[in-house]
Amino acid sequence: MSVNDCVFDNGAFPNSAPGAPPNDRNDPAYNGWADGGVIIPYNMYIRYGDVGIIERSYDKMVNYIEYLYADRDENHLRTSQTQYGDWLALDKEETPVALTDTAFCAYVCDLMTEMATAIGKTEDAERFAGYAQGFKDAWAKFYLKENGQTIVNTQTSYVIGLAFDVVPDEMKQATADQLAAVIQSDKYNGKISTGFISTGFLLPVLCEYGHEDIAYSLLEDTEFPSFLYPVTQGATTIWERWDSYSPSGFGNPTMNSFNHFAFGTVARWLYSGVLGITVDPASPAYKHFSLQPVYGGSMTYANGSYNSQYGLIESGWKLDGNDFTYNAIVPANTTATLYLPSDKATAIYESGKDVTKEAVEGIEYIGTENGKAIFELQSGSYSFSSTVVNKAELEEAISNTSNINEFFYTADSYRALTEALAKAQEVQNNKDATAEQVQQ
């Protein structure tokens, strides 16, 4: 039995299927759960390219969107519900449910705009786009400050705002920088706090706006709370709660599963972030896709693949100091856009040629942007090599030097040390620093 079989008379999808008993047909929809009635068909469509799943679910999805739109308040926010928000976030009570609900309303309206367009329902698409913009404008007006900070300053609020495109374009980088800052602040001390609905978007959002270092730090953290803390405690499955078991003991015994999906959504980023294999919604089924590998943390290599409708997509990289090698296979009858990490001051080689200057069959050099060299790739097998800006050793040196006591130095030597440390920190904070500057 699917969610389409359990839709309530008011148009709301249930939180799960089978849904409520037959005598209770007008329950409210809880964003983040009921939205699966739209999100699942959308994801099936863009990954497999079958518009049939849109067509079979379309009427139910339209009714759901109209239900959500009718449930908005006078400020165009969805404030009618108190469940569930960013469920089991460690600071859940700090983020209003209306903040996440309104963002979800905008998100599913955007998805419906794409799906309506895909099956030729242009008037519906225009209407849903208008609904989405109304929710976005309201979210930005009531939950976002002029400096990009949200009114509640929680990880959840930033992640949801950026992932669901409710932050205005001109404020997105500032908002992402606020997210990075609050994670590192005394409030969170570099620790994760997000819940069910935002955790899967946290690392992708950080990487999209240039904070790969924080994303990898969160990924590799082993102290409570973290993705890997359960592993240090012998876990072989994903836990329902960050505190299912913690240094304080077991979590709430009335709801404490040790085999739960939600925080396992980080695995999606291992494919879309670490390997960089990303579907292009405008070209479903990976007919065209992106390759955007992200290196960082203590990882020195990664390899993996995705079995698309057109064949096996392969992506892998190795980092040796500042030397970066990248291998990819683009299946037959597909194309890919590659965003290759690279120091803009050095050459990039494939087939023994600098592909930024020389023609290589199947490769078109587009340019360089934000520390990435961009290429369009035709079907084929490729092996690239480049020089990247690897700050891992510099970061370790800064950390070690910062703990040195002035007592053990002469005045002149300590002055030289602090000057060198200041210069190193300047390079570390410079997103445009070259590999040569880092090595110096």
Side-chain angles (χ1 to χ4, degrees):
M1 181 176 286
S2 74
V3 292
N4 285 337
D5 298 315
C6 303
V7 173
F8 299 130
D9 293 339
N10 58 9
F13 284 116
N15 297 327
S16 59
N23 63 345
D24 188 5
R25 304 300 296 175
N26 282 294
D27 271 11
Y30 298 122
N31 286 113
W33 277 252
D35 295 321
V38 174
I39 295 171
I40 293 170
Y42 174 79
N43 277 282
M44 294 291 286
Y45 162 64
I46 64 170
R47 280 163 176 78
Y48 297 102
D50 180 9
V51 296
I53 192 168
I54 300 176
E55 294 168 339
R56 290 190 295 273
S57 303
Y58 191 75
D59 289 344
K60 301 290 178 62
M61 293 192 293
V62 169
N63 289 341
Y64 178 64
I65 295 299
E66 297 295 353
Y67 159 80
L68 290 178
Y69 191 68
D71 197 39
R72 73 198 189 283
D73 68 11
E74 67 277 8
N75 294 317
H76 219 109
L77 302 171
R78 189 170 192 237
T79 57
S80 61
Q81 303 306 314
T82 58
Q83 295 279 15
Y84 290 98
D86 199 10
W87 189 245
L88 297 185
L90 292 175
D91 57 351
K92 178 183 180 301
E93 301 307 318
E94 295 184 35
T95 305
V97 172
L99 182 152
T100 54
D101 279 5
T102 302
F104 260 105
C105 289
Y107 179 53
V108 293
C109 286
D110 274 341
L111 301 189
M112 280 300 294
T113 300
E114 289 187 43
M115 287 190 282
T117 301
I119 61 172
K121 303 278 190 179
T122 54
E123 289 186 6
D124 286 356
E126 291 175 1
R127 184 170 77 259
F128 299 145
Y131 291 175
Q133 194 59 54
F135 285 122
K136 292 177 184 182
D137 291 343
W139 194 97
K141 178 180 179 180
F142 288 97
Y143 298 123
L144 195 63
K145 300 179 183 179
E146 292 183 358
N147 63 353
Q149 190 178 69
T150 62
I151 62 169
V152 291
N153 201 31
T154 61
Q155 293 181 30
T156 294
S157 63
Y158 292 115
V159 173
I160 289 297
L162 290 164
F164 291 170
D165 195 33
V166 293
V167 175
D169 289 346
E170 66 274 14
M171 296 181 68
K172 285 179 177 176
Q173 187 62 56
T175 302
D177 293 343
Q178 293 282 1
L179 168 63
V182 79
I183 291 173
Q184 295 176 304
S185 71
D186 291 341
K187 180 177 182 178
Y188 295 113
N189 292 311
K191 296 292 185 180
I192 195 168
S193 73
T194 49
F196 275 26
I197 63 175
S198 65
T199 293
F201 299 103
L202 174 59
L203 304 191
V205 162
L206 285 168
C207 289
E208 182 177 356
Y209 294 96
H211 298 290
E212 296 91 341
D213 55 338
I214 299 177
Y216 265 96
S217 177
L218 293 172
L219 177 71
E220 296 186 328
D221 189 5
T222 58
E223 297 180 355
F224 172 82
S226 68
F227 294 113
L228 294 180
Y229 174 75
V231 178
T232 70
Q233 303 303 303
T236 57
T237 53
I238 301 294
W239 296 350
E240 180 178 16
R241 318 171 69 104
W242 295 118
D243 59 351
S244 285
Y245 179 77
S246 72
S248 301
F250 288 99
N252 185 344
T254 65
M255 191 191 71
N256 193 13
S257 167
F258 282 82
N259 189 5
H260 218 77
F261 163 74
F263 297 140
T265 52
V266 67
R268 178 175 63 178
W269 182 74
L270 299 179
Y271 281 87
S272 66
V274 178
L275 295 178
I277 302 173
T278 309
V279 67
D280 178 358
S283 186
Y286 294 85
K287 176 68 174 174
H288 175 268
F289 56 94
S290 295
L291 295 168
Q292 304 183 61
V294 176
Y295 68 90
S298 64
M299 291 179 64
T300 57
Y301 70 93
N303 290 288
S305 61
Y306 175 76
N307 194 14
S308 76
Q309 293 290 87
Y310 289 92
L312 198 67
I313 300 169
E314 295 190 34
S315 176
W317 55 263
K318 182 178 180 181
L319 181 64
D320 184 5
N322 292 316
D323 296 327
F324 188 80
T325 57
Y326 177 72
N327 299 311
I329 293 180
V330 180
N333 301 312
T334 69
T335 58
T337 302
L338 170 63
Y339 298 82
L340 189 68
S342 176
D343 180 352
K344 60 185 178 182
T346 62
I348 300 172
Y349 293 97
E350 208 286 335
S351 299
K353 297 181 179 179
D354 180 355
V355 286
T356 65
K357 298 177 181 178
E358 302 178 68
V360 174
E361 185 178 357
I363 302 174
E364 179 185 0
Y365 175 58
I366 304 301
T368 301
E369 184 178 342
N370 297 326
K372 305 284 182 71
I374 306 171
F375 301 92
E376 291 294 337
L377 305 180
Q378 300 299 312
S379 303
S381 178
Y382 301 94
S383 181
F384 293 86
S385 61
S386 67
T387 299
V388 298
V389 182
N390 183 5
K391 297 182 179 179
E393 292 182 359
L394 179 62
E395 184 176 356
E396 182 179 2
I398 291 173
S399 177
N400 292 338
T401 306
S402 298
N403 296 324
I404 292 176
N405 196 307
E406 181 179 0
F407 176 79
F408 298 101
Y409 289 82
T410 65
D412 289 342
S413 62
Y414 189 74
R415 186 183 308 110
L417 177 66
T418 55
E419 290 175 355
L421 178 61
K423 183 177 180 181
Q425 290 172 328
E426 182 180 351
V427 173
Q428 177 74 2
N429 295 330
N430 181 8
K431 292 184 178 181
D432 296 322
T434 65
E436 183 179 0
Q437 289 173 318
V438 171
Q439 289 174 328
Q440 289 176 345

